[in-house]
Amino acid sequence: MTEHSPSARPGRWRSGAESRQRILEAARALFREHGYGGTTVRAVAAQAEVDPAMVFYFFKTKQGLFAAATEMPPHLPSAIESIFTGGLDGIGERIIRTLLENLDKPGRTPLMMLTRSAPTHEVSEALLREFIDREITSRLAAMLDTPDAALRAGMVNVQILGLAVARYIVRLEPIASASADELVAGLGPVVQQCLTGQGATTATDTPGSGR
């Protein structure tokens, strides 16, 4: 899932600033054309006419490249990684706290602008959906040893996207003005329940269903 760099090369690249800009332009074009999953570091490097090691030198990982290309906060990829540190114990609170720490900032962050534009911009919507699916939803589902893992991870998306819309876009009170600690305390257990709580009873197991 995480496309990590090879060992970094010492010294400076001869045309560092120009190369970095070419890499970003190539990445933006390829992400728009092929999506997040369909774009590789090697393909970006080829289009930018640089060695793949240079992409890793500047951006560390594919996630870091995506963050830079879409003008997300540069620390976001490492923040996402921190969610998965420690396994399932306490992951509900980590998810909510990570979301709030990255969006509770003055002004409109690039990530928030991407979220705002997603419903009306097909490219933004597709990239945001694919990034969330590959870097959060699929990884959450993979951690669960249950037949309904995908559904459980999807319910987490409902919680975090609902919180983002209520707090930052609609500014629904009292969610908009609640402290991060209050929201972590209230929503963290809900997210945890989605992932690790008892699953919903299926129709075939309900009384009167014939079983």
Side-chain angles (χ1 to χ4, degrees):
M1 295 170 190
T2 302
E3 199 169 343
H4 293 287
S5 67
S7 55
R9 293 182 178 181
R12 296 182 178 179
W13 298 96
R14 280 188 300 175
S15 55
E18 293 180 0
S19 296
R20 187 180 189 278
Q21 185 59 36
R22 288 204 311 273
I23 291 168
L24 284 175
E25 291 173 359
R28 289 179 182 126
L30 290 174
F31 281 132
R32 285 195 300 268
E33 184 177 355
H34 302 292
Y36 180 75
T39 300
T40 66
V41 168
R42 187 173 297 276
V44 171
Q47 181 150 322
E49 299 182 339
V50 301
D51 190 279
M54 185 176 282
V55 181
F56 290 118
Y57 178 83
F58 287 121
F59 303 104
K60 310 303 181 188
T61 64
K62 178 181 174 180
Q63 293 94 322
L65 174 62
F66 181 81
T70 56
E71 298 183 340
M72 288 183 178
H75 59 276
L76 185 62
S78 60
I80 291 175
E81 289 300 316
S82 71
I83 291 174
F84 299 94
T85 302
L88 290 172
D89 290 342
I91 195 170
E93 292 190 357
R94 292 200 302 277
I95 289 172
I96 298 300
R97 189 171 295 282
T98 297
L99 175 73
L100 295 173
E101 286 178 350
N102 282 276
L103 295 183
D104 272 4
K105 299 181 185 298
R108 292 169 55 182
T109 67
L111 177 60
M112 202 64 251
M113 287 189 281
L114 178 61
T115 306
R116 287 176 184 271
S117 68
T120 56
H121 194 291
E122 290 184 2
V123 174
S124 295
E125 179 183 10
L127 281 173
L128 181 62
R129 182 173 59 243
E130 189 178 2
F131 182 81
I132 290 173
D133 180 60
R134 285 178 174 267
E135 297 302 330
I136 300 178
T137 311
S138 294
R139 296 176 67 178
L140 287 174
M143 295 175 71
L144 304 176
D145 186 21
T146 61
D148 60 347
L151 177 61
R152 286 175 177 270
M155 290 191 295
V156 172
N157 280 344
V158 172
Q159 302 300 322
I160 61 177
L161 292 176
L163 172 59
V165 170
R167 185 170 175 86
Y168 305 105
I169 299 178
V170 180
R171 300 198 59 78
L172 182 67
E173 293 293 354
I175 302 301
S177 58
S179 70
D181 287 340
E182 288 175 317
L183 293 174
V184 169
L187 291 174
V190 176
V191 173
Q192 191 74 39
Q193 172 70 20
C194 289
L195 289 172
T196 62
Q198 184 176 356
T201 304
T202 62
T204 56
D205 295 327
T206 55
S209 64
R211 293 186 63 179

